[in-house]
Amino acid sequence: MSRRMSGEKGPRVTRRALLTAALGGAAALAGGAAGGRGGTGQPFRVPAVLAASTGPVKLGVLLPYSKVYQQLGEDITSAMTLYFESVGWTAGGRRITLIREDEDIDPQVALRKARKLIEGDNVDLMTGLVSSASALAIRDLVHNTKTVLVISNAGANAVTRGRRSPYIFRISFSNWQTAYPIGGWFYENVARSCVVGGSDYAAGHEDINAFKENFLAHEGRVLGEVYPPLNNTDYGPYIAQMQRMRPEAVFVFFAGSDAVRFVTQATQYGLLKEARLVGPGFLVEEDVLPAEGRNALGAYSSLHWALTLQKPENLAFTRAYRERWKREASVFAMQGYDAARVIVQALNTTGGDTVNKTGLIEAIASVKFTSPRGAVAFDPETHNVIQTVYLRQVREVGQALHNVVFADLGVFRDPG
Ligand code: BEZ
């Protein structure tokens, strides 16, 4: 089921707007579609190509609203809503409407939903995607249909490397960016050997490979690798496998409900008494931390944001989010907020034109701003975000547990 948000009104086109669009080099005029009344009150036909660029912007949103990554999808949607509300659901003179679809965790479902948004709903552009597997599945469809896509989570490296597309931008991270940077620090500060693992799909493997690239280069030793399926419930056998290797520390990729279950069961089975818990920050992020509770206390992680990051932009964002949604923001919320901002800024630059793809791509590529996470810009080669990666630890902050930033690892650009 698709869900629509924001009031949608039919296109109100003045003759002046039409003339401006035409003088601005709008593409060759196609057959008539919508209509309206000019200043003289005379009815006129609005050519389809212009109607497409003057009515409400249809933004296709493909995010998980069920299963393991449901909360991630909800957080991204909530923060996008917050940003669009702050600009009155308008950009480049056009209203913004969302058409939402559930990404699920099955990449074939994601592909079907993306096709429905692109070919059925004729969306003007798309955003979303939490799972790397979905991003990989829809890449060719997006590229071949020349659909501009701003990814708000899915880190699959290839999407901004070998399978990159001029139409695809990523404001969140590449999987490499969330795990490579901590490898050397881990070797120096946590343990010289460890067990690694994660959910058995693209993101789990890419995160672990990125961590190993750095950790092994520092002469670290990997005792073994363990990959439970995505959307798993029973981690018992996998935790037992880890314990048999007697690690001093584990470096693991889990997110959403998988993270809660792994951390809870690793505590129950005693693994977290024997080994330090470290991973990309999704493992102990604000969406899962209340459910993990003190089991996560002391865990180290690397990520490009933290709730407690002391920057004016972050204080303003986290306060506004808390007031609007009565819960704490998460990294996923922050990414949704920034994705909405990218789209709004680009539409403001193009004057709302979504038909001229070259213009829209150039406008997105030149977006840069100070995000709640710090300065962000798109790599002109890959369209992946360039950003700072932070070291965090779960600590008590007042009555609650939060990720506290205690160092930054520098600015990282995916190697491409
Ligand atoms: C991914 O599949 O790319 C992903 C999912 C959840 C958190 C981080 C990455």
Side-chain angles (χ1 to χ4, degrees), residues 26 61 64 165 217 265 290 296 325 330 371:
V61 179
S165 160
Q265 293 174 27
W325 300 109
S330 64
S371 149

Side-chain angles (χ1 to χ4, degrees), residues 1-4 62 99-101 109-123 126 141:
M1 280 288 286
S2 73
R3 315 160 192 207
R4 279 171 194 270
L62 186 54
I99 305 179
R100 297 202 277 155
E101 288 293 340
V109 173
L111 178 59
R112 208 173 60 237
K113 300 293 183 66
R115 186 164 284 124
K116 182 258 180 193
L117 288 170
I118 294 170
E119 293 169 358
D121 298 316
N122 285 315
V123 295
M126 271 182 72
L141 172 70

Side-chain angles (χ1 to χ4, degrees), residues 69 72 103 129-135 153-156 170 173-175 178 201-204 206-207 230 253-256 280 282 303 331-332 335:
Y69 292 153
L72 287 63
E103 177 188 336
L129 295 174
V130 159
S131 161
S132 284
S134 315
N153 189 72
R170 181 159 49 202
F173 54 86
S174 70
N175 288 329
T178 63
Y201 78 111
E206 289 184 356
D207 272 67
L230 181 64
F253 168 92
F254 294 109
F282 317 111
L303 208 62
V331 71
F332 309 106
Q335 292 165 180

Side-chain angles (χ1 to χ4, degrees), residues 16 30 49 68 131 133-134 137 155 194 208 237 255 288 291 336 360 365 375 393 399 405:
R16 186 140 168 253
V49 70
V68 52
S131 161
S134 315
C194 65
I208 296 310
V288 289
L360 185 56
Q393 186 177 30
Q399 302 297 315
V405 171

Side-chain angles (χ1 to χ4, degrees), residues 181-381:
I182 195 175
W185 180 88
F186 183 105
Y187 177 82
E188 300 295 348
N189 297 280
V190 180
R192 305 270 148 129
S193 66
C194 65
V195 168
V196 295
S199 302
D200 191 9
Y201 78 111
H205 288 277
E206 289 184 356
D207 272 67
I208 296 310
N209 287 341
F211 170 77
K212 278 165 53 187
E213 185 185 332
N214 194 351
F215 183 62
L216 297 179
H218 281 79
E219 320 245 292
R221 202 158 63 88
V222 172
L223 303 171
E225 309 197 14
V226 179
Y227 294 98
L230 181 64
N231 202 31
N232 188 38
T233 45
D234 181 10
Y235 285 90
Y238 305 97
I239 290 167
Q241 211 181 324
M242 290 178 163
Q243 286 175 307
R244 282 197 290 276
M245 298 179 228
R246 304 200 169 282
E248 260 181 83
V250 293
F251 184 88
V252 289
F253 168 92
F254 294 109
S257 56
D258 279 349
V260 176
R261 290 199 177 107
F262 177 81
V263 171
T264 307
Q265 293 174 27
T267 308
Q268 283 164 0
Y269 291 114
L271 174 64
L272 298 191
K273 277 214 178 71
E274 302 151 11
R276 304 300 299 265
L277 177 66
V278 188
F282 317 111
L283 178 68
V284 288
E285 188 37 21
E286 302 295 329
D287 60 314
V288 289
L289 203 41
E292 292 171 350
R294 298 185 72 79
N295 301 335
L297 189 61
Y300 289 115
S301 66
S302 51
L303 208 62
H304 45 285
W305 179 82
L307 183 77
T308 57
L309 198 55
Q310 295 300 304
K311 293 182 179 290
E313 296 78 10
N314 199 38
L315 296 174
F317 163 65
T318 52
R319 189 181 314 119
Y321 190 91
R322 196 177 297 122
E323 277 168 17
R324 178 67 176 84
W325 300 109
K326 314 293 178 232
R327 57 180 276 135
E328 296 294 357
S330 64
V331 71
F332 309 106
M334 182 281 292
Q335 292 165 180
Y337 192 75
D338 281 2
R341 183 168 177 176
V342 167
I343 291 164
V344 166
Q345 283 192 205
L347 289 174
N348 284 339
T349 303
T350 66
D353 187 351
T354 49
V355 172
N356 176 356
K357 301 288 176 186
T358 311
L360 185 56
I361 288 168
E362 280 172 9
I364 298 179
S366 64
V367 169
K368 50 169 81 108
F369 54 86
T370 307
S371 149
R373 67 187 111 168
V376 289
F378 288 111
D379 184 333
E381 296 276 306

